[in-house]
Amino acid sequence: MFIATINVPGYLPDGDQSPAVFDTAAEAWAYLAEERELALNLADMVLAEVDLAPAPGDAPDLALGELRRFANVDLPGTVYASNSLSGATHDLGMAYSVVIAEDGGL
């Protein structure tokens, strides 16, 4: 069993949500990639509403690419990403992590 978390580095994930648990690390990485993509799409929509949409040809999100690559392996780890998403209240970045769940730890 594997747990997927998204948090600000150095801080615990939000305690009001149950952790996302998966049978394989690859499934957990795919979930994290989907969450990052949803957040990026939401940020683009918010920016478009105020006419600040990214210019065509902007660089792809490197963290999203890395998360998608990890979805093809079955290993735990962490991918660090910028926090350039709309509405960011800090510049500490984000950590997308997959860890092995200890027996009885859930």
Side-chain angles (χ1 to χ4, degrees):
M1 303 274 293
F2 294 86
I3 298 173
T5 59
I6 303 169
N7 66 296
V8 175
Y11 293 85
L12 294 173
D14 287 337
D16 59 344
Q17 297 179 358
S18 297
V21 180
F22 301 90
D23 290 329
T24 68
E27 291 172 338
W29 287 117
Y31 163 79
L32 292 174
E34 184 177 307
E35 290 295 309
R36 178 73 177 178
E37 187 168 26
L38 289 171
L40 290 169
N41 290 339
L42 178 61
D44 286 347
M45 288 176 15
V46 169
L47 291 174
E49 286 182 14
V50 292
D51 290 331
L52 294 174
D58 272 357
D61 185 68
L62 297 177
L64 179 57
E66 195 70 14
L67 290 168
R68 287 178 175 159
R69 280 188 287 283
F70 272 108
N72 294 314
V73 297
D74 209 25
L75 297 171
T78 300
V79 171
Y80 295 97
S82 69
N83 194 36
S84 59
L85 305 178
S86 176
T89 57
H90 59 81
D91 62 355
L92 299 174
M94 299 300 291
Y96 294 80
S97 300
V98 173
V99 297
I100 298 172
E102 295 183 20
D103 290 339
L106 296 178

